[in-house]
Amino acid sequence: MIKSVVSKEYQNLQKELIRLQAQWKGMINPETIKPNLDKAAMAAGVPAAALTAIDFEISLFQQWIEDINTLLINHNPELEAKLSGIEGLLNEETAIRWIEEAFSFNHVYFESFAEEHGLEPWIPQFLAETALRPYLQKTAEMIQPELDRGVPGAGCPVCGEPVRLAALEDEGKKVLHCPRCLAHWRAKRLECSHCGTEDYEKIKFLTIEGDATSQIQVCEDCNGYIKIIDTRQYIEKPSAALLDLNSIHLDFVAQENGYKAVGEKKQPN
């Protein structure tokens, strides 16, 4: 198996974050999450989480941000000065805004927030996204029994994250996995997750020398790609988040070959 390009230190940090997120998810009262499985809306590509009423406990969210800061500083003490002012900035109003903007992938808001408060650009969105995920994962856990297939081009049917990861499971069935909310759903072997084409002449597979468990499915119709990992060869299957992280070399290869994580349907001339 090819060695991951991600450092051991960063892998360990992510494992700790995943452990914390699982712990936090267990603290969420299921009664504060009320899914609305509007079949028509979901069939149109609306993420189920956007239809779900979630009563966020803001004090928990704020505490989780503090926990993330502590973990980051333990792994890299040089971050202490960069993270020291976060707690003072994160009042209830700001915490609610962080949740809303992380939920909707609003990169511009977080970049502006970082600039306004003299923070490194990655810090606010990383903290907000990491603390939001337990709620998304709890929502996905509750909705999972009703998930069958997604809508090509709409991203994860629960949280809307762009599709980029699939696993071959059981008898070679292709299952799409969301590293963000951990939802999973079935997909056709020859189908583009971005534009939906099933034209076998448009769907190709790139393989990596020395990596027997992975391949990249690319689409010549929309230039999109997804990573496919044969998890049947794993003794212990990692979470989708770690699987995504440890296969980042496949993203590099796909993008170096001109493919994109979010496919775009080509316009006819």
Side-chain angles (χ1 to χ4, degrees):
M1 187 183 301
I2 196 168
K3 185 178 179 182
S4 173
V5 298
V6 181
S7 71
K8 203 69 177 174
E9 292 77 12
Y10 192 70
Q11 288 184 52
N12 290 336
L13 171 62
Q14 288 298 319
K15 286 178 182 177
E16 281 294 302
L17 287 172
I18 290 167
R19 181 189 62 79
L20 278 177
Q21 287 169 338
Q23 179 182 313
W24 296 334
K25 185 180 72 171
M27 298 167 65
I28 298 171
N29 181 352
E31 294 183 3
T32 61
I33 300 177
K34 296 180 173 61
N36 172 22
L37 294 176
D38 185 327
K39 302 280 188 182
M42 291 176 68
V46 179
L51 304 168
T52 299
I54 304 177
D55 184 10
F56 292 95
E57 191 170 339
I58 303 304
S59 60
L60 265 186
F61 182 83
Q62 292 169 310
Q63 180 59 54
W64 295 347
I65 297 288
E66 290 181 36
D67 293 345
I68 298 165
N69 282 345
T70 300
L71 179 61
L72 290 173
I73 292 167
N74 286 343
H75 275 259
N76 183 359
E78 293 180 6
L79 287 174
E80 185 167 9
K82 298 174 181 178
L83 298 170
S84 60
I86 294 292
E87 187 177 343
L89 295 173
L90 203 61
N91 56 32
E92 183 172 342
E93 182 181 355
T94 302
I96 293 171
R97 183 73 187 274
W98 275 27
I99 290 169
E100 292 172 348
E101 303 301 352
F103 195 91
S104 59
F105 306 101
N106 192 343
H107 308 287
V108 174
Y109 163 79
F110 287 106
E111 288 167 4
S112 298
F113 185 95
E115 185 176 357
E116 179 183 349
H117 297 284
L119 301 169
E120 289 196 5
W122 66 271
I123 289 175
Q125 186 161 12
F126 178 85
L127 296 176
E129 174 67 25
T130 303
L132 172 66
R133 287 191 179 191
Y135 275 99
L136 296 176
Q137 292 167 6
K138 188 68 176 179
T139 302
E141 188 178 271
M142 296 170 71
I143 293 171
Q144 186 63 57
E146 304 299 323
L147 282 187
D148 183 29
R149 296 189 182 274
V151 178
C156 170
V158 174
C159 73
E161 175 87 345
V163 177
R164 63 176 177 273
L165 180 69
L168 298 183
E169 302 176 2
D170 301 327
E171 298 172 352
K173 293 177 182 177
K174 179 180 167 188
V175 180
L176 297 172
H177 287 262
C178 178
R180 188 185 192 212
C181 72
L182 307 183
H184 52 89
W185 61 101
R186 294 184 301 156
K188 297 176 182 177
R189 284 292 292 267
L190 282 179
E191 177 185 64
C192 175
S193 300
H194 302 292
C195 70
T197 187
E198 297 180 32
D199 186 343
Y200 70 93
E201 293 185 345
K202 299 289 180 66
I203 296 176
K204 313 289 185 186
F205 294 89
L206 307 180
T207 56
I208 312 299
E209 186 176 354
D211 188 351
T213 63
S214 309
Q215 57 184 334
I216 307 165
Q217 177 183 299
V218 302
C219 176
E220 303 294 348
D221 223 13
C222 70
N223 271 1
Y225 77 88
I226 63 168
K227 304 177 291 187
I228 302 179
I229 317 295
D230 189 347
T231 57
R232 295 171 297 177
Q233 300 188 44
Y234 283 72
I235 297 172
E236 184 177 341
K237 294 181 182 179
S239 72
L242 279 179
L243 206 57
D244 182 47
L245 177 69
N246 290 333
S247 61
I248 200 169
H249 60 286
L250 302 178
D251 295 283
F252 296 154
V253 171
Q255 290 166 25
E256 284 170 359
N257 280 275
Y259 298 100
K260 299 178 180 179
V262 180
E264 297 176 355
K265 193 73 174 176
K266 296 174 184 175
Q267 299 297 321
N269 294 328

